[in-house]
Amino acid sequence: MIDTIGFDGDDTLWHNESLFSMTQERFRALLAHAADPDDLDRRLLDAERANLKVYGYGIKGFVLSMIESAISVTDGRVPARDLQSLIDFGKAMLEHPVELLPDIADVVEALSHRYRLILITKGDLFDQESKIARSGLAGRFDAVEIVSEKDSASYRRVLERHSVAPDRFVMVGNSVRSDILPVLAIGGHAVHIPYAITWAHEEAEPPDEHYRRIDSVLDLPPLLAAW
Amino acid sequence: MIDTIGFDGDDTLWHNESLFSMTQERFRALLAHAADPDDLDRRLLDAERANLKVYGYGIKGFVLSMIESAISVTDGRVPARDLQSLIDFGKAMLEHPVELLPDIADVVEALSHRYRLILITKGDLFDQESKIARSGLAGRFDAVEIVSEKDSASYRRVLERHSVAPDRFVMVGNSVRSDILPVLAIGGHAVHIPYAITWAHEEAEPPDEHYRRIDSVLDLPPLLAAW
């Protein structure tokens, strides 16, 4: 029945959130003299939210938001060399080796013989392409789709482009909001594999016969075979 | 013979380089106390080149390169408020209204009735999608392809994806390097419409029967009809 699998990239195939967490830790340490960690986190989150509509998702926008937060929290007294450090943190993120999650390489390889695989990621085109190339997984996927927003309209466009009926499609990812709900909304299947670092607000589980939650990607092949 | 037209976006359909020039002028004015304009231009260009492999093309990377240049040219003494100004310049670019080049709206509308039109642009996914939406031209195009690099491999992928034979395809754009040479290399046709602001090194004209150079997009429909 299901013949096409969509895989999310960040925090489904490879680690990503841990890179942001690590950098945010360095950001807090750099500005510890000016504000306490909670205040810094709040200001950075406010800046990221305010900038999302002009920058979109990705590391470059994150760095620009860190710089703005550092300037505002110090009332403009932050030394330029500290802002250069923030730029260097961003470059380190962009050049960081791509680290696959456990068992991903084996499971993706096995599934690639039985299913059509499409990598569907959100974010910065250049950075995502670079990560896909460095992941060593590119050859396992029949197609790669990088979108600026993962909503139902985006998934519908991707499936139409590849002539895939939604009921023959399953999306696998770590985000209920981006990988699960919009796919269920257009009649597709969805498998949620939570990432170790969970967001502040715990995500609700959608009650849907086309939906499953698993703890390890190793559970994916038998689940698909049984569905 | 030709049934599909690829259009470049930046400086072919809408103004783009003029925005960068305007911002670079403001950058020079902001740092006039620290360095002369030529030195600033050279440092910024060096930073952009060095950063291209981590940032790719686009405004966010340009802003980060301006910040780095401002820090290095002042030996770290640039006040943080001036760096905030550079961030604000970048936001102004990202939010700037999309200004179509003369006659583009009419010619694209007329061609859309006779040809399949594909918008093929390079750069930041989020910014390019935003510009396409704001341009008012999205409805005229049968497809939009945003790529991170315009080389022959990218064009080949786009044409395969849309099942277009290269000899039935013509690419229209302002850059010999990005819009003309890689398309001629895979057997396609190409029409060069130079933009008013030409880059420092004047570009060579390729001697190829599949190539034409025109001064106005108004010359495009009769050229295609005659080809």
Side-chain angles (χ1 to χ4, degrees), chain A residues 148-169:
Chain A
S148 61
E149 188 62 73
K150 278 181 156 177
D151 51 20
S152 291
S154 297
Y155 283 107
R156 193 175 284 120
R157 270 196 301 275
V158 168
L159 295 189
E160 279 174 5
R161 167 178 263 177
H162 296 284
S163 305
V164 179
D167 64 351
R168 304 177 75 88
F169 175 74

Side-chain angles (χ1 to χ4, degrees), chain A residues 55 60 68 91 129 148, chain B residues 55 60 68 91 129 148:
Chain A
Y55 293 152
K60 286 172 285 188
E68 276 204 271
K91 288 185 185 177
E129 284 191 355
S148 61
Chain B
Y55 293 153
K60 286 171 285 188
E68 277 204 271
K91 288 186 184 176
E129 285 192 354
S148 61

Side-chain angles (χ1 to χ4, degrees), chain A residues 51-56 60 63-64 67-68 71 76 78 80 83-84 87 91 94-95 123-126 129 144-148 161, chain B residues 51-56 60 63-64 67-68 71 76 78 80 83-84 87 91 94-95 123-126 129 144-148 161:
Chain A
N51 288 334
L52 193 60
K53 68 179 190 307
V54 277
Y55 293 152
K60 286 172 285 188
V63 172
L64 290 165
I67 293 174
E68 276 204 271
I71 293 173
V78 61
L83 301 180
Q84 181 63 50
I87 290 179
K91 288 185 185 177
L94 290 164
E95 292 179 318
D124 185 89
L125 181 63
F126 187 82
E129 284 191 355
V144 173
E145 296 283 349
I146 301 169
V147 298
S148 61
R161 167 178 263 177
Chain B
N51 288 333
L52 193 60
K53 70 178 188 305
V54 276
Y55 293 153
K60 286 171 285 188
V63 172
L64 289 166
I67 293 173
E68 277 204 271
I71 293 173
V78 61
L83 301 180
Q84 181 63 49
I87 290 179
K91 288 186 184 176
L94 289 164
E95 293 180 316
D124 185 86
L125 182 62
F126 187 83
E129 285 192 354
V144 173
E145 297 282 350
I146 301 170
V147 298
S148 61
R161 166 176 264 178

Side-chain angles (χ1 to χ4, degrees), chain A residues 78-119:
Chain A
V78 61
R81 67 172 179 279
D82 287 355
L83 301 180
Q84 181 63 50
S85 295
L86 296 177
I87 290 179
D88 294 338
F89 294 171
K91 288 185 185 177
M93 292 175 77
L94 290 164
E95 292 179 318
H96 196 275
V98 175
E99 291 168 1
L100 295 186
L101 268 71
D103 304 310
I104 283 294
D106 290 343
V107 171
V108 167
E109 201 272 337
L111 292 173
S112 71
H113 299 300
R114 293 167 163 261
Y115 300 89
R116 176 157 60 159
L117 304 188
I118 306 179
L119 179 50

Side-chain angles (χ1 to χ4, degrees), chain B residues 6-20:
Chain B
F7 272 99
D8 169 54
D10 289 343
D11 298 323
T12 297
L13 297 180
W14 48 71
H15 291 282
N16 178 62
E17 186 56 33
S18 52
L19 262 184
F20 280 87

